[in-house]
Amino acid sequence: MEANPKVKHAQVPWNKGKLTGQKPPLKLKEIWAIRIHLQLAKQTRELALFNLALDSKLRGCDLVALQVLDAAHGNQIAPRAIIMQRKTQRPVQFEITGQTRDALTAWIAIAQLKPEQYLFSSRIKASPHITTRQYARIVNKWVASIGLDPSAYGTHTMRRTKATLIYRRTKNLRAVQLLLGHTKLESTFGILVSRSTMPWKLPNRPRYSLLRSQAAIWIGGR
C-alpha cells in the first residue's frame, strides 16, 4: 500500500525535552569546585577557558574567537583586554585577573601558541577555533563534574556569573551594563533577573521604576 503523500510528519520542536529560559549563574562555591576539579585533573586548556569565560563575561561567539594577541602583550598577559563584540559591533573592555593570567600563560606555553593564533583552537579542520556548540558541551561537562544538572546550565551561565556577583556587591546596574557591553539597560536587567539575584532591590530612582515593576511581575510569574 502506497503512503499518502499529503500526510506530513510533525516536526519535532527544537526545545523538546530541554529546559528553556534564563540559565542560572554559578555560585562562588560552584566556581571554586569546578576550578579545583580542573586543576587536579591538570586540564590546563579548560582551566584557562573557564577562568577567561568568567572574567571576560563575553558571549560564546566572542569568547571562542579570541586570539593570543587579544589577551597578551608580547610574552605577558595583559591585566585588561578590549575586543569588538560580534553582535553589537561595539568595543567592550574586561579585566583579566591574576589566576586567569597564570592559567593563560601556562596554556600558551604548553600549546606553543603564536600571537596570531586562536587561544582555543579546534581539532576540526573546518573550524580554526572551537565552535560555540563545542563550548556549550564543555560547559555542560564542567557543571556535571560537580554534580549539577547540565540541562539547567549553558554558555550564558558563564556570561551571567561574574555580572551577578558584581551587581550583588555594588548594586550598580550601570556599571554592570558597561562591563557587559550592553547598549540598553533592559538587556543588563535581563541578564541579572532570577530568583536568587533579587532584582527588586534595584536603586530607588525614577529611571529604575519600570525595571522594578518588571522584576516584580517576572518573579511573580515564575
Side-chain angles (χ1 to χ4, degrees):
M1 185 173 69
E2 295 183 0
N4 188 347
K6 294 183 179 181
V7 176
K8 295 182 179 180
H9 296 284
Q11 186 175 2
V12 178
W14 69 269
N15 58 352
K16 183 178 181 180
K18 299 180 181 179
L19 294 178
T20 58
Q22 189 70 279
K23 302 297 184 182
L26 294 173
K27 300 174 183 177
L28 272 176
K29 63 179 181 180
E30 294 165 348
I31 293 172
W32 280 106
I34 293 173
R35 189 172 280 150
I36 291 171
H37 171 78
L38 294 175
Q39 289 173 341
L40 292 176
K42 297 183 179 180
Q43 296 181 354
T44 309
R45 176 175 179 260
E46 290 199 14
L47 179 62
L49 178 60
F50 178 76
N51 286 344
L52 189 58
L54 290 176
D55 275 357
S56 68
K57 303 169 293 295
L58 291 173
R59 297 178 182 88
C61 61
D62 292 322
L63 177 67
V64 299
L66 287 175
Q67 295 176 293
V68 175
L69 53 80
D70 290 321
H73 291 166
N75 296 325
Q76 299 292 323
I77 303 297
R80 292 185 179 275
I82 184 169
I83 70 154
M84 189 69 68
Q85 299 174 99
R86 183 176 298 182
K87 181 177 179 180
T88 63
Q89 291 300 304
R90 292 169 62 92
V92 64
Q93 181 175 279
F94 56 89
E95 178 188 14
I96 305 177
T97 59
Q99 58 191 351
T100 302
R101 293 199 297 273
D102 291 342
L104 284 172
T105 299
W107 166 239
I108 290 171
I110 290 173
Q112 299 182 338
L113 298 177
K114 298 178 181 179
E116 68 277 5
Q117 289 182 292
Y118 291 100
L119 277 170
F120 308 106
S121 58
S122 175
R123 296 183 179 91
I124 302 173
K125 292 183 179 180
S127 176
H129 54 72
I130 62 171
T131 64
T132 52
R133 188 179 294 272
Q134 288 175 299
Y135 174 46
R137 286 198 292 266
I138 293 172
V139 172
N140 287 345
K141 187 173 70 172
W142 289 339
V143 297
S145 70
I146 59 169
L148 298 177
D149 180 5
S151 65
Y153 296 82
T155 58
H156 222 55
T157 290
M158 307 304 295
R159 178 161 163 79
R160 292 187 67 205
T161 295
K162 195 167 185 177
T164 302
L165 294 174
I166 292 172
Y167 179 72
R168 284 175 177 169
R169 187 168 64 247
T170 66
K171 297 298 185 290
N172 190 332
L173 195 64
R174 172 60 177 166
V176 178
Q177 178 190 10
L178 294 174
L179 289 172
L180 291 171
H182 284 155
T183 56
K184 296 180 180 179
L185 203 61
E186 290 81 357
S187 299
T188 307
F189 170 74
I191 285 281
L192 297 174
V193 165
S194 75
R195 288 182 185 273
S196 61
T197 55
M198 296 186 294
W200 54 85
K201 290 187 177 181
L202 290 167
N204 188 24
R205 300 174 193 166
R207 65 179 296 190
Y208 297 116
S209 59
L210 178 59
L211 294 182
R212 282 196 298 273
S213 63
Q214 289 176 337
I217 293 172
W218 195 91
I219 294 297
R222 293 289 287 176

